[in-house]
Amino acid sequence: MNLTKSDQLPQMPLGQLTRASLIIRFTVIAILIAGIAVLFAYAGGWLTPYALTPASMINTFQKVNGLHPGFRRNHAKGVCVSGYFESNGRAVALSKASVFTPGRVSIIGRFSLAGGRPFAADAPHMIRGMAILFKLSDGEEWRTAMTDIPVFTVKSAQAFHDQLLAFAPDPETRKPDPAKMKAFFAKYPESAKAMELIRSHPVSSGFENSTYNSLNAFRFINSKGAVVPVRWSMVPFQPFQPVTEPAEGDKNYLFDALIASIHSHPLQWHLVVTIGQPEDPTNDATIPWPPDRQQGRRRNVDDRPHRER
């Protein structure tokens, strides 16, 4: 392509630029570079070194419980099971999720104890967990994690982080520092109320006859677009039996009893969905919903245990 003199863009020699225009241009470039540097620093957490992040939460778990390669940071001690979920179809009126259509869905489950020490001895009042992965026919997965307490101990991630530190055993006494616990409850009074409710809640004798609750609230949306807040629970078909003290030296009595029960007969739970009302809190797991809320049931069965590291 040929250009004539008239086609060429006029260029001003650098020497003809005024001092003011040079300063402006270099200032704009400096601002852009500084802005990019600030964004990188913010993303890396350098500007907020004390802000709670997933990495800092993991570090706190390791600080309190020690490092145990190959295990979860929380609910480290557990056993996996397999089974199925059988929906009676009643939840279709509340949710368009395919897991609630009538029929049977394969599941993988995990029973566990709270805490980050995988070799800790089982104790009667340790928080028990049930996690379930629903394997749907279209390849979708639906996951839920539940515990056997009626409410959660905190309402925010920051409070949970602070609780880990406040309740960490003292190296000398092997018990939490009373002063740190007192300071924690003073800062988070809702946790003190939640703890009172948890302590008053009856504890069953084992995993197989415990009720497991979602604690958090979720939204169900049906095919017509109607939205309702819900919580759900796994209520055991097995009859409740009160908690008992383990035999001395029996470090795995809760898990051993669970495995023995499953080998003896399949264990069953009813999935109970509780429908919330507009005044029910959906952003605070330390507060229970009133007991008169409408509920509906579906059945779930777990069997065939698999040991894990």
Side-chain angles (χ1 to χ4, degrees), residues 208-285:
E208 62 272 19
N209 54 14
S210 291
T211 295
Y212 300 93
N213 305 298
S214 68
L215 301 181
N216 289 317
F218 300 88
R219 293 190 306 162
F220 272 6
I221 305 175
N222 66 13
S223 59
K224 297 181 180 179
V227 179
V228 293
V230 299
R231 286 176 172 174
W232 56 73
S233 303
M234 284 291 185
V235 180
F237 183 82
Q238 298 73 230
F240 177 88
Q241 295 181 11
V243 66
T244 57
E245 293 295 328
E248 186 176 354
D250 192 352
K251 296 183 60 176
N252 304 306
Y253 82 101
L254 286 173
F255 289 100
D256 291 342
L258 170 67
I259 295 171
S261 294
I262 293 180
H263 281 309
S264 174
H265 59 277
L267 301 179
Q268 302 180 33
W269 280 261
H270 293 284
L271 174 57
V272 179
V273 176
T274 301
I275 303 173
Q277 296 298 313
E279 64 271 22
D280 294 334
T282 57
N283 61 349
D284 190 345

Side-chain angles (χ1 to χ4, degrees), residues 129-180:
M130 172 195 276
I132 298 178
L133 184 154
F134 298 77
K135 301 172 72 73
L136 306 181
S137 59
D138 61 359
E140 182 183 354
E141 293 183 353
W142 192 53
R143 305 183 183 197
T144 180
M146 299 159 284
T147 57
D148 69 333
I149 50 180
V151 294
F152 200 52
T153 55
V154 295
K155 68 176 183 180
S156 69
Q158 184 65 57
F160 185 57
H161 173 271
D162 294 350
Q163 182 190 38
L164 287 173
L165 295 176
F167 284 67
D170 182 273
E172 295 183 1
T173 65
R174 297 184 179 181
K175 295 180 180 180
D177 185 335
K180 292 182 179 180

Side-chain angles (χ1 to χ4, degrees), residues 24 28 40 71 80 86 137 176 200 210 273:
I24 293 174
V28 171
F40 274 105
F71 293 93
C80 289
E86 187 172 8
S137 59
S200 67
S210 291
V273 176

Side-chain angles (χ1 to χ4, degrees), residues 2-307:
N2 296 321
L3 295 177
T4 65
K5 290 185 177 181
S6 60
D7 295 325
Q8 295 177 2
L9 295 175
Q11 295 184 1
M12 181 179 294
L14 182 62
Q16 296 181 17
L17 291 175
T18 64
R19 181 182 179 87
S21 63
L22 282 174
I23 293 176
I24 293 174
R25 292 189 181 198
F26 284 125
T27 301
V28 171
I29 293 173
I31 291 174
L32 290 175
I33 294 174
I36 294 172
V38 169
L39 290 176
F40 274 105
Y42 177 79
W46 302 334
L47 300 181
T48 54
Y50 301 105
L52 184 63
T53 64
S56 62
M57 181 71 83
I58 293 299
N59 291 338
T60 299
F61 268 109
Q62 293 178 180
K63 177 180 178 181
V64 172
N65 299 304
L67 181 60
H68 304 280
F71 293 93
R72 292 170 51 92
R73 298 303 190 271
N74 193 17
H75 286 260
K77 188 176 185 179
V79 64
C80 289
V81 299
S82 62
Y84 63 86
F85 170 76
E86 187 172 8
S87 172
N88 58 19
R90 295 178 185 173
V92 171
L94 300 175
S95 173
K96 59 185 178 182
S98 59
V99 71
F100 293 125
T101 57
R104 185 174 291 187
V105 174
S106 296
I107 66 165
I108 299 295
R110 184 176 186 267
F111 293 92
S112 61
L113 292 177
R117 295 181 172 90
F119 304 110
D122 296 356
H125 295 278
M126 292 180 70
I127 296 176
R128 305 165 192 168
M130 172 195 276
I132 298 178
L133 184 154
F134 298 77
K135 301 172 72 73
L136 306 181
S137 59
D138 61 359
E140 182 183 354
E141 293 183 353
W142 192 53
R143 305 183 183 197
T144 180
M146 299 159 284
T147 57
D148 69 333
I149 50 180
V151 294
F152 200 52
T153 55
V154 295
K155 68 176 183 180
S156 69
Q158 184 65 57
F160 185 57
H161 173 271
D162 294 350
Q163 182 190 38
L164 287 173
L165 295 176
F167 284 67
D170 182 273
E172 295 183 1
T173 65
R174 297 184 179 181
K175 295 180 180 180
D177 185 335
K180 292 182 179 180
M181 294 176 63
K182 183 178 180 180
F184 170 81
F185 286 128
K187 184 176 180 180
Y188 301 104
E190 70 278 359
S191 292
K193 295 180 180 179
M195 287 288 196
E196 292 179 4
L197 180 57
I198 292 171
R199 293 190 188 101
S200 67
H201 185 70
V203 180
S204 71
S205 60
F207 284 108
E208 62 272 19
N209 54 14
S210 291
T211 295
Y212 300 93
N213 305 298
S214 68
L215 301 181
N216 289 317
F218 300 88
R219 293 190 306 162
F220 272 6
I221 305 175
N222 66 13
S223 59
K224 297 181 180 179
V227 179
V228 293
V230 299
R231 286 176 172 174
W232 56 73
S233 303
M234 284 291 185
V235 180
F237 183 82
Q238 298 73 230
F240 177 88
Q241 295 181 11
V243 66
T244 57
E245 293 295 328
E248 186 176 354
D250 192 352
K251 296 183 60 176
N252 304 306
Y253 82 101
L254 286 173
F255 289 100
D256 291 342
L258 170 67
I259 295 171
S261 294
I262 293 180
H263 281 309
S264 174
H265 59 277
L267 301 179
Q268 302 180 33
W269 280 261
H270 293 284
L271 174 57
V272 179
V273 176
T274 301
I275 303 173
Q277 296 298 313
E279 64 271 22
D280 294 334
T282 57
N283 61 349
D284 190 345
T286 66
I287 302 176
W289 284 355
D292 61 352
R293 294 297 181 250
Q294 181 183 353
Q295 295 183 333
R297 294 191 172 206
R298 295 106 199 99
R299 189 172 67 185
N300 178 74
V301 179
D302 288 327
D303 58 11
R304 296 192 305 248
H306 301 284
R307 290 190 180 274

